[in-house]
Amino acid sequence: MRARRPASGFSLLEMLLVMALIAIATLLAMAAFGGGMQGMALRGGAKDLAAQFRFARAVAISSGEPQDVVIDPQARRWEGAKGRSGSLPDGGEIVFTGARASLFEDGQSPSDGGKGAVRFFPDGAATGGRVRMLAGEAGKRGGWDVDVGWLTGEVRVSRVQAPQ
């Protein structure tokens, strides 16, 4: 009688276990370098808001009419072109810097209730502004900036580094 030799290679179970360990290690590394779950939520919120700014600029150029994106940091909401609206991420602090004194068609100032606005014009320009989304403790905050250039209307998303 011949002895059976074991099959060479890896079993399916061993391969799945290794893939699961790699996935867990990757998630832990992303959380450590990206500021955790709150940092990922802020990054997603910054990208969403930047997309809405870009959409409002495109609508202003194509329609020939100014378009506003109103930011309400206290309520963590925004309202944009074509009736779009959404929310800003929970946790951390939201700070708007920009044209708070612009008047809307209804005569109300965006500064009513702490709101701010960025207005996009048909030539592509904007009133400019910045929405800063901060996470972490007061002395060690990192986060994301969504900047709108006043001359070109260019929208940029950049990381805010926590002070060392």
Side-chain angles (χ1 to χ4, degrees):
M1 250 195 203
R2 292 176 121 178
R4 287 188 70 189
R5 292 185 348 188
S8 61
F10 300 104
S11 71
L12 179 61
L13 182 61
E14 291 170 331
M15 292 296 288
L16 289 175
L17 182 62
V18 169
M19 289 175 62
L21 288 174
I22 290 172
I24 290 170
T26 302
L27 286 174
L28 290 174
M30 285 176 47
F33 290 116
M37 295 303 286
Q38 186 180 29
M40 288 191 284
L42 289 177
R43 181 175 184 221
K47 286 183 161 189
D48 289 344
L49 186 59
Q52 295 310 315
F53 281 144
R54 290 180 183 116
F55 177 75
R57 182 175 183 266
V59 170
I61 292 170
S62 65
S63 70
E65 296 179 9
Q67 300 292 319
D68 295 318
V69 178
V70 179
I71 309 295
D72 187 348
Q74 282 78 27
R76 295 183 177 273
R77 302 229 9 108
W78 57 265
E79 296 174 14
K82 300 240 180 211
R84 290 184 176 201
S85 63
S87 60
L88 297 169
D90 291 331
E93 182 181 4
I94 308 292
V95 180
F96 176 79
T97 306
R100 296 178 187 266
S102 299
L103 290 177
F104 292 107
E105 294 172 6
D106 61 6
Q108 297 212 351
S109 170
S111 61
D112 298 342
K115 295 180 182 179
V118 175
R119 178 168 282 170
F120 293 90
F121 300 103
D123 64 356
T127 57
R130 168 180 285 167
V131 178
R132 178 167 278 182
M133 301 179 191
L134 297 170
E137 300 172 14
K140 302 176 181 177
R141 292 183 181 224
W144 296 90
D145 279 343
V146 181
D147 292 310
V148 178
W150 65 271
L151 183 60
T152 62
E154 178 188 11
V155 179
R156 292 181 311 274
V157 177
S158 59
R159 188 173 178 92
V160 176
Q161 296 295 330
Q164 299 293 328

